[in-house]
Amino acid sequence: MRILVSNDDGIFSPGLTALAEVASQFGDVVIFAPDYEQSAVGHAITIQRPLKYHRVKMMKGFEAYRVNGTPADCVAMGLYHLGGADLVLSGINLGSNLGSDVWHSGTVAAAKQGVILGVRAIAFSQVINGEEPNYEKQKPYIKEVIRLLTTGNQPRLVNVNLPKEPIGLRWTHQSVRHYNGKVVEGQDPNGRKHFWFSATPLTNPDENSDRWAIDNDLVSLTPLRLSLTDEDWLNRLNAVQQGSPI
Ligand code: MN
């Protein structure tokens, strides 16, 4: 199996190496990752300047390239360079990507870019609370997830979140109802106002959501799709249109 590994934290993130290590048990791994951190850039692509990629030496001897672009660019460059792949993996992100994080996550976008270009993909993110990340407890679960999602009929795009002390796997839905953004005001050294957009969960998560799974020490697997069309509304609007006298 040809596996392209990317992320949004940059080519030297420890999470990238950890994911490549697990992936190498399933096939040939090549890494294409941003040359600096691109967290929260979402599915941005670079169209105003040329893209370049360069081979870098990585620990563990992986074939790796740094790209002067976004996570989505990295996957496009990687698939171009390799002439395709059988699987795209993104992560392991330094921090979870739950609920509305999915909208701005570069980690999820890299996986999404793989699916847009016709390759099955999985995004991995891990809860961290400021301490140095350690992946030993997560690695067996990452291996199990890759095995599960590359065997038989499985969703082509899955957002995986790993708790600090995993005890099992759970299929979940995205907890979109729990808005988690607020603006925090501060002051720079010259006394000028500035602002931080801070993500904080405001309500308890509903059962079987991604956030709920993480709160219960379960590895959360959320199948995602590319279409954002609201099918319920579309059906209702079409029914009204067909029933109208016009
Ligand atoms: Mn990140």
Side-chain angles (χ1 to χ4, degrees), residues 8-9 37-40 93-94 97 107:
D8 77 356
D9 293 327
E37 188 183 341
Q38 303 264 341
S39 291
N93 190 56
L94 298 167
N97 276 306
T107 307

Side-chain angles (χ1 to χ4, degrees), residues 91-204:
I92 306 164
N93 190 56
L94 298 167
S96 57
N97 276 306
L98 302 165
S100 36
D101 298 339
V102 170
W103 286 99
H104 51 253
S105 167
T107 307
V108 174
K112 192 147 43 88
Q113 183 72 322
V115 176
I116 286 172
L117 296 175
V119 183
R120 170 189 294 278
I122 313 168
F124 289 94
S125 303
Q126 182 174 328
V127 175
I128 51 164
N129 298 318
E131 73 275 31
E132 195 67 24
N134 177 314
Y135 301 102
E136 294 316 306
K137 287 176 181 156
Q138 286 76 22
K139 279 181 177 173
Y141 288 95
I142 294 167
K143 185 177 176 182
E144 174 61 15
V145 167
I146 296 173
R147 192 200 58 74
L148 176 72
L149 296 181
T150 53
T151 313
N153 189 25
Q154 296 291 342
R156 292 182 63 75
L157 177 61
V158 179
N159 182 33
V160 178
N161 278 276
L162 302 147
K164 283 176 71 178
E165 306 277 345
I167 57 169
L169 303 178
R170 183 67 65 98
W171 288 104
T172 61
H173 62 267
Q174 187 189 357
S175 56
V176 290
R177 280 183 290 174
H178 305 287
Y179 181 72
N180 66 346
K182 67 173 181 179
V183 174
V184 180
E185 196 176 305
Q187 234 178 34
D188 75 11
N190 294 319
R192 290 173 295 212
K193 266 188 195 174
H194 62 198
F195 304 91
W196 292 92
F197 187 65
S198 165
T200 313
L202 300 177
T203 52
N204 288 330

Side-chain angles (χ1 to χ4, degrees), residues 1-8 15-16 18-33 71 74-75 79 85-92 107-108 110-112 114-115 119-124 142-143 145-147 149-150 158 160:
M1 187 156 57
R2 298 169 305 159
I3 305 170
L4 174 63
V5 180
S6 191
N7 75 351
D8 77 356
L16 183 69
L19 181 55
E21 279 174 345
V22 180
S24 64
Q25 298 173 49
F26 293 88
D28 297 325
V29 169
V30 176
I31 295 170
F32 272 75
C74 291
V75 170
L79 292 176
D86 303 302
L87 178 66
V88 168
L89 301 177
S90 178
I92 306 164
T107 307
V108 174
K112 192 147 43 88
V115 176
V119 183
R120 170 189 294 278
I122 313 168
F124 289 94
I142 294 167
K143 185 177 176 182
V145 167
I146 296 173
R147 192 200 58 74
L149 296 181
T150 53
V158 179
V160 178

